[in-house]
Amino acid sequence: ISICRDLPNIEVITFSMNGISDLEPLNQCQNLSELYLRKNNIASLNELFYLKNLPRLRVLWLSENPCCGSDPHRYRMTVLRNLPSLQKLDNQAVTEEELSQALVDGEEITAPPSRRNVENGCLESTESSAAESTTETESELLNFSLEETNKIREELGMKPVPRDKFSSFSPRDADCNRKKRNNVLNAILLLMKELDTEGLEIVQQTVGRRLQVLRKKELQEE
């Protein structure tokens, strides 16, 4: 997620199910309008401190993080008190009544959270078990991840990924190397949106050469 520091113009970010615990890199994304962070390791609602100054943020999906706690009303009211410009929270539309109630029932966040140790993209905290406690079938997780990935591809003018080609993105992968690979792929897709025609052509040529090398290597190994 640190790549977001270099993407001030990014509008949509999808990082669900990626072991993310720190939202500080997002505070420079002034054009961000949609943020999908479902099922990560965000332990404290104080992380919302980094989203409070994002003027265009309208959609946030934060459910199934440890910070949601056991009181869904308090959680929702606190999010809406600190992010009153949201139009949709956790795939549920925000109402004027809720925004008014949030001023009473929500907790105002005025400071960032204290930091925890994170290494190689894997959370080193006992709180990580809370995020893993939610049971969900692999099919449901895959469908959700596929939907979000295809949303990014649609933003980039790319064709959607068929379900039968999506197995390599499975959110059940426990191996950190696989998670890092998926994070790199997401970062590349996000960065591509920042490129003009000339930049995309350079990427296309580079990818073409890389594929030729890899295919030649595979043929030699066979």
Side-chain angles (χ1 to χ4, degrees), residues 116-124 176 180:
R116 300 165 300 284
N117 290 327
V118 178
E119 183 177 353
N120 294 328
C122 293
L123 185 68
E124 293 184 321
C176 270
K180 286 164 68 176

Side-chain angles (χ1 to χ4, degrees), residues 68-109:
C68 298
S70 58
D71 186 343
H73 177 74
R74 176 186 173 277
Y75 153 72
R76 190 171 176 88
M77 292 295 99
T78 296
V79 174
L80 294 182
R81 175 164 183 172
N82 291 278
L83 303 174
S85 295
L86 287 180
Q87 296 175 355
K88 184 176 287 189
L89 172 61
D90 297 338
N91 206 32
Q92 182 178 342
V94 175
T95 66
E96 291 295 332
E97 291 77 10
E98 284 184 309
L99 292 175
S100 298
Q101 192 64 38
L103 296 174
V104 178
D105 295 346
E107 177 183 342
E108 175 125 26
I109 294 170

Side-chain angles (χ1 to χ4, degrees), residues 20-151:
I20 290 168
S21 59
D22 175 11
L23 301 186
E24 185 272 333
L26 301 176
N27 66 357
Q28 299 298 319
C29 301
Q30 292 295 298
N31 288 330
L32 187 63
S33 62
E34 297 182 30
L35 178 59
Y36 300 91
L37 292 168
R38 173 181 175 268
K39 203 174 178 64
N40 278 287
N41 293 325
I42 301 169
S44 170
L45 284 176
N46 280 30
E47 293 288 343
L48 296 175
F49 178 82
Y50 299 116
L51 307 181
K52 293 182 69 171
N53 293 320
L54 302 182
R56 300 185 179 181
L57 187 61
R58 297 293 180 268
V59 176
L60 174 65
W61 201 325
L62 192 61
S63 63
E64 296 180 81
N65 276 278
C67 65
C68 298
S70 58
D71 186 343
H73 177 74
R74 176 186 173 277
Y75 153 72
R76 190 171 176 88
M77 292 295 99
T78 296
V79 174
L80 294 182
R81 175 164 183 172
N82 291 278
L83 303 174
S85 295
L86 287 180
Q87 296 175 355
K88 184 176 287 189
L89 172 61
D90 297 338
N91 206 32
Q92 182 178 342
V94 175
T95 66
E96 291 295 332
E97 291 77 10
E98 284 184 309
L99 292 175
S100 298
Q101 192 64 38
L103 296 174
V104 178
D105 295 346
E107 177 183 342
E108 175 125 26
I109 294 170
T110 58
S114 57
R115 285 284 158 246
R116 300 165 300 284
N117 290 327
V118 178
E119 183 177 353
N120 294 328
C122 293
L123 185 68
E124 293 184 321
S125 168
T126 55
E127 292 164 340
S128 62
S129 59
E132 296 169 356
S133 64
T134 302
T135 58
E136 194 167 14
T137 67
E138 184 166 350
S139 175
E140 289 172 335
L141 286 170
L142 186 59
N143 283 336
F144 190 88
S145 184
L146 175 61
E147 177 185 345
E148 290 194 340
T149 297
N150 280 337
K151 183 176 182 61

